[in-house]
């Protein structure tokens, strides 16, 4: 230290002032350079975060748009098939009543192959919806409740179309030969037309459920994917009929249990599960 003091004392006032100025300039430069480096790092981090956030928002919007397209296709198929069933139900009832009264009637427009084709389109659209739900589990694992709901719809409508309609409807509507001619047609009895009405109403109710489930699904996706962007929450539907369950992620476990215990699909799944467990149960010695 004394050597440094003597060394410093050896300089004149002007030299000391020049050295102090140079050291100050270098120090300020180093501090400024360090601050610039820190600022650049901070700006780069903010830029990366902004790019990532924009990408997340773009991805969320694309996910929602895909869901809208799939849900719209399913809803359109449900509405088209529902309208066809409603018209068929009314025409069969009218033909049955007119025939009983000895009055003329028009042939019902429905044909069973056409009904099967419309149902196949509906089934394809419902399957696309289920695949979409399974691929959106990253949004919230509870979203699989919508897969369960649509499986219930498919189970009920499949049983109606391929079982009860085959027995009770196919022979009660006109049948067309490949050459375009018609089989002789005789309307069903009024009582049987009433049974067809009940089957159609059950079918239409299941289709209505499918449309409502797509609405519930889109509400949940809007809130999960776009809620932070618009700072709003979309309200769920409020059905007048309390038996029409509203599906929400908040009550997913409760609704899953309800489907499992209160629907034909749930009971059939429980039976299949029990049989499978019994099949692979280790044999007790």
């Amino acid at each position: 230290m004394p050597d440094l003091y003597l060394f410093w004392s050896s300089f004149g006032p002007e030299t000391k002032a020049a050295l102090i100025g140079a050291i100050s300039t270098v120090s300020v430069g180093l501090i400024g350079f360090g601050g610039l480096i820190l600022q650049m790092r901070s700006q780069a981090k903010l830029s990366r975060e902004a790019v990532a956030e924009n990408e997340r928002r773009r991805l969320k919007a694309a996910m929602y748009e895909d869901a809208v397209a799939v849900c719209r296709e399913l809803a359109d198929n449900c509405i088209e098939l529902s309208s066809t069933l409603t018209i068929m139900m009314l025409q069969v009832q009218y033909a049955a009543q007119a025939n009983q009264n000895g009055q003329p009637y028009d042939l019902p427009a429905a044909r069973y192959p056409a009904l099967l084709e419309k149902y196949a389109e509906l089934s394809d659209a419902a399957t696309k919806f289920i695949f979409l739900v399974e691929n959106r589990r990253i949004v919230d694992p509870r979203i699989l409740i919508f897969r369960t709901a649509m499986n219930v719809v498919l189970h009920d409508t499949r049983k109606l179309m391929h079982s009860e309609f085959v027995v009770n409807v196919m022979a009660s509507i006109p049948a067309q030969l490949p050459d375009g001619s018609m089989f002789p047609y005789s309307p069903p009895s009024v009582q049987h037309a009433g049974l067809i009405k009940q089957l159609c109403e059950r079918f239409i109710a299941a289709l209505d459920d499918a449309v409502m489930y797509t609405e519930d699904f889109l509400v949940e996706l809007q809130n999960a994917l776009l809620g932070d962007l618009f700072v709003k929450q979309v309200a769920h539907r409020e059905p007048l009929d309390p038996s029409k369950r509203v599906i929400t992620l908040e009550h997913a476990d409760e609704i899953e249990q309800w489907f499992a215990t209160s629907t034909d699909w749930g009971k059939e799944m429980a039976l299949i599960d029990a049989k499978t467990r019994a099949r692979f149960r280790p044999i007790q010695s």
Side-chain angles (χ1 to χ4, degrees):
M1 290 295 294
D3 292 341
L4 289 176
Y5 178 75
L6 291 175
F7 179 73
W8 176 253
S9 299
S10 66
F11 293 115
E14 294 181 357
T15 303
K16 290 180 179 180
L19 288 173
I20 292 173
I23 293 171
S24 299
T25 302
V26 171
S27 298
V28 171
L30 290 174
I31 293 173
F33 182 74
L36 180 62
I37 294 298
L38 292 175
Q39 183 180 7
M40 291 175 63
R41 287 182 177 178
S42 177
Q43 289 178 344
K45 181 180 179 181
L46 291 175
S47 178
R48 288 194 299 269
E49 291 177 351
V51 170
E53 179 61 23
N54 289 336
E55 185 63 20
R56 283 193 293 268
R57 292 188 181 279
R58 186 197 66 77
L59 180 59
K60 287 180 178 181
M63 290 171 67
Y64 180 70
E65 290 175 1
D66 290 344
V68 169
V70 171
C71 290
R72 182 175 298 167
E73 179 183 358
L74 176 56
D76 288 345
N77 278 278
C78 287
I79 293 170
E80 182 177 358
L81 182 53
S82 180
S83 298
T84 299
L85 292 175
T86 300
I87 293 172
M88 179 189 74
M89 174 182 68
L90 295 174
Q91 289 180 336
V92 168
Q93 282 186 292
Y94 176 79
Q97 189 65 54
N99 185 59
Q100 178 176 284
N101 298 335
Q103 298 173 333
Y105 55 84
D106 294 325
L107 290 178
R111 303 291 182 269
Y112 201 74
L115 290 178
L116 288 174
E117 183 177 352
K118 289 183 182 295
Y119 181 71
E121 294 172 354
L122 166 70
S123 182
D124 288 345
T127 303
K128 289 181 183 178
F129 176 84
I130 291 173
F131 287 159
L132 176 75
V133 170
E134 292 176 339
N135 291 328
R136 294 295 181 266
R137 282 176 289 181
I138 189 64
V139 175
D140 191 319
R142 297 174 298 175
I143 207 170
L144 290 178
I145 183 60
F146 291 98
R147 178 181 66 180
T148 298
M150 203 55 62
N151 275 328
V152 171
V153 171
L154 282 176
H155 174 273
D156 293 345
T157 56
R158 188 182 298 115
K159 181 179 178 182
L160 283 164
M161 177 57 69
H162 296 302
S163 179
E164 297 186 61
F165 266 42
V166 172
V167 175
N168 297 293
V169 177
M170 186 167 62
S172 299
I173 56 178
Q176 188 170 328
L177 294 170
D179 62 3
S181 61
M182 303 291 296
F183 278 115
Y185 174 71
S186 178
S189 66
V190 173
Q191 291 76 15
H192 191 76
L195 174 60
I196 293 174
K197 178 177 181 293
Q198 293 176 8
L199 294 175
C200 288
E201 288 175 343
R202 285 169 50 195
F203 208 133
I204 293 169
L207 297 175
D208 289 344
D209 286 343
V211 174
M212 289 186 290
Y213 296 156
T214 62
E215 178 184 339
D216 295 340
F217 179 68
L218 289 179
V219 168
E220 290 291 1
L221 279 190
Q222 287 183 75
N223 291 333
L225 299 176
L226 307 177
D228 61 332
L229 178 61
F230 295 99
V231 198
K232 292 181 180 178
Q233 291 290 301
V234 181
H236 278 279
R237 59 188 172 88
E238 297 181 2
L240 297 176
D241 185 352
S243 66
K244 298 297 183 180
R245 302 296 298 263
V246 178
I247 300 182
T248 65
L249 298 183
E250 181 182 0
H251 300 102
D253 292 341
E254 173 192 340
I255 299 172
E256 185 80 41
Q257 182 64 22
W258 181 83
F259 279 131
T261 58
S262 303
T263 64
D264 291 341
W265 172 86
K267 296 171 184 177
E268 185 173 318
M269 290 301 102
L271 182 60
I272 292 174
D273 183 69
K275 290 181 177 179
T276 303
R277 290 179 183 275
R279 179 183 175 186
F280 294 102
R281 183 180 300 133
I283 300 175
Q284 299 296 329
S285 57

